[in-house]
Amino acid sequence: MALRTCRSLFRRAAAIRNVKTELRDELSAQLGESVKFGASLASLSTYRVGGPAEALFEPCSAEDVSLGLRTAATLEIPWIVVGLGSNILAADEGFAGLVIRMGQRLADVARDEDDDSLWTVGAGLPTPLLAKQTAAAGLEGVHRLIGVPGTVGGGVFMNAGAHAQEFRDVVTWVDVVAHDGTRSRIPGDSIPWRYRSSGLDGVVVATQISLQRGDPHDLLRDVKNYLRWRKRGTPFDRPCCGSVFRNPTAEQLTERVDEVGSPPTAGRLIDAAGLKGFRVGGAEVSPMHANYIVNTGDATARDVTSVIETVRTRVLDRFGIDLQLEVRLLHQGSRREDS
Ligand SMILES: Cc1cc2nc3c(=O)[nH]c(=O)nc-3n(C[C@H](O)[C@H](O)[C@H](O)COP(=O)(O)OP(=O)(O)OC[C@H]3O[C@@H](n4cnc5c(N)ncnc54)[C@H](O)[C@@H]3O)c2cc1C
């Protein structure tokens, strides 16, 4: 390589380093000690894959979240929000922007003084904890979500559900911080809920849920049973993100699905396409549950993506159904995650 080309490459690398340092200094000045640099996204996701986060911010309050989003807007850097990371696939290259992580610092629970079936819950509370606490209080509505291992904020955003209970059935309002840092309260009945989607934009910081009265003894027994059922059918020994694909909608179904049994779930279609155990690198279609692509130990995001592509192609060829992703892909440089 010519000496001049070499020098110009070094100058460019030094300039990028300077910009990065300035950016980090600015983020630290604005967000204080709650921001860290270069944290591994693999350690923030149940998949255990993904490269570093340029900046990781763990807010303590809704005001902090506003500050984080305002700072990202001012510095013109992309941002994403994560909870427990149980439904994300982070890129091997990591994320070149601000990752806002909603966790235990934002996990308060308050019961309404006049009506104790109304609970206001912080976005960082783990959903299984909410399921257990509400059941113990003799309130039903979310107790069957005991095996959904994410935060309440992620659950509301995803409209998570299990055993005929979904967040959309109980949410009365959601407090959301928008991209410009402004906060608003959105009534539950004005949210465009769909299967595994809320259509919300911004960061969920809290929600109020309305529950039905029940018998704590029965509810806690149900919780135990659902958890037992879950453990039997889930490859808990392998890092994963739960179901990778959404179940097909009625409109997507073709005559060719008759052979897979009813209902023709994504898992049944993948199984019938002969893909259980299919593997690329360290990523594998779980032999236990075909809609789970598990990390057998050393999977990269690229391995998981390759398996996803093969599964989609084979199911499309065999059944004429284009499976849609339930897992959210966190792309380097994107402003927000893909849907
Ligand atoms: C073993 C296993 C079993 C599972 N079973 C189920 C199941 O039965 N039913 C089901 O519905 N899901 C299931 N999941 C998927 C997952 O647990 C849920 O989608 C969960 O609600 C995601 O919450 P989270 O906090 O982990 O979100 P993350 O995975 O961190 O994020 C998921 C998405 O939500 C967004 N998000 C997260 N927090 C917020 C917030 N505060 N505000 C705005 N957006 C936010 C993220 O940007 C991302 O797009 C399972 C996952 C695993 C690993």
Side-chain angles (χ1 to χ4, degrees):
M1 192 185 292
L3 192 60
R4 210 187 303 157
T5 320
C6 237
R7 279 199 191 122
S8 107
L9 279 177
F10 276 130
R11 269 202 298 275
R12 208 162 149 246
I16 291 171
R17 254 197 317 276
N18 285 342
V19 170
K20 268 195 169 178
T21 311
E22 275 173 28
L23 193 69
R24 289 180 174 197
D25 289 349
E26 195 55 41
L27 281 165
S28 293
Q30 295 296 327
L31 306 177
E33 287 178 0
S34 303
V35 69
K36 293 186 178 58
F37 302 99
S40 155
L41 284 172
S43 67
L44 300 179
S45 125
T46 56
Y47 239 137
R48 298 283 177 259
V49 301
E54 174 76 49
L56 170 69
F57 177 48
E58 302 196 74
C60 294
S61 62
E63 290 71 31
D64 274 1
V65 175
S66 295
L67 178 64
L69 293 183
R70 278 201 309 275
T71 305
T74 309
L75 299 176
E76 295 183 353
I77 53 171
W79 62 271
I80 49 172
V81 54
V82 298
L84 201 90
S86 63
N87 204 32
I88 56 169
L89 178 59
D92 296 322
E93 294 75 19
F95 183 74
L98 183 67
V99 176
I100 300 172
R101 188 181 192 219
M102 307 292 283
Q104 281 169 356
R105 295 170 169 190
L106 272 160
D108 287 350
V109 175
R111 298 174 73 159
D112 189 272
E113 280 177 13
D114 302 321
D115 178 354
D116 66 2
S117 66
L118 289 175
W119 289 37
T120 299
V121 187
L125 186 78
T127 298
L129 216 56
L130 178 68
K132 217 188 260 177
Q133 286 177 3
T134 51
L139 293 167
E140 65 174 287
V142 289
H143 67 290
R144 295 185 202 152
L145 307 186
I146 184 70
V148 179
T151 59
V152 167
V156 169
F157 179 80
M158 292 295 305
N159 184 26
H163 313 291
Q165 285 184 347
E166 289 181 314
F167 272 98
R168 73 169 139 193
D169 301 329
V170 292
V171 165
T172 57
W173 52 253
V174 181
D175 276 352
V176 174
V177 180
H179 293 250
D180 62 0
T182 53
R183 251 167 90 183
S184 57
R185 180 158 293 181
I186 303 175
D189 57 12
S190 72
I191 294 173
W193 302 104
R194 280 185 293 127
Y195 167 62
R196 299 297 170 263
S197 161
S198 64
L200 288 165
D201 194 15
V203 178
V204 172
V205 288
T207 186
Q208 188 191 59
I209 55 172
S210 172
L211 303 162
Q212 306 294 317
R213 284 179 208 294
D215 179 328
H217 180 262
D218 292 349
L219 292 172
L220 283 171
R221 191 198 51 220
D222 278 359
V223 163
K224 246 192 199 162
N225 288 340
Y226 284 118
L227 202 53
R228 206 174 295 141
W229 177 90
R230 185 52 75 124
K231 279 182 181 156
R232 272 203 308 270
T234 305
F236 275 118
D237 57 330
R238 299 278 197 232
C240 68
C241 70
S243 294
V244 171
F245 298 99
R246 297 164 196 237
N247 289 324
T249 59
E251 296 77 50
Q252 281 183 290
L253 296 182
T254 61
E255 282 166 10
R256 283 185 265 166
V257 301
D258 291 349
E259 64 177 278
V260 306
S262 182
T265 57
R268 283 192 167 135
L269 294 168
I270 298 165
D271 189 5
L275 286 160
K276 270 190 175 174
F278 174 77
R279 197 169 167 149
V280 176
E284 179 185 63
V285 176
S286 166
M288 186 189 244
H289 187 322
N291 199 9
Y292 280 41
I293 297 173
V294 297
N295 176 356
T296 59
D298 56 357
T300 61
R302 250 172 237 108
D303 294 341
V304 178
T305 311
S306 299
V307 175
I308 285 175
E309 279 165 9
T310 301
V311 168
R312 277 182 93 162
T313 308
R314 294 255 200 106
V315 170
L316 185 61
D317 288 350
R318 176 92 185 258
F319 299 107
I321 294 175
D322 187 12
L323 289 177
Q324 299 302 304
L325 286 182
E326 183 168 320
V327 63
R328 302 282 166 145
L329 308 178
L330 301 187
H331 284 310
Q332 185 172 32
S334 69
R335 180 139 195 255
R336 193 83 167 78
E337 77 288 339
D338 267 359
S339 59

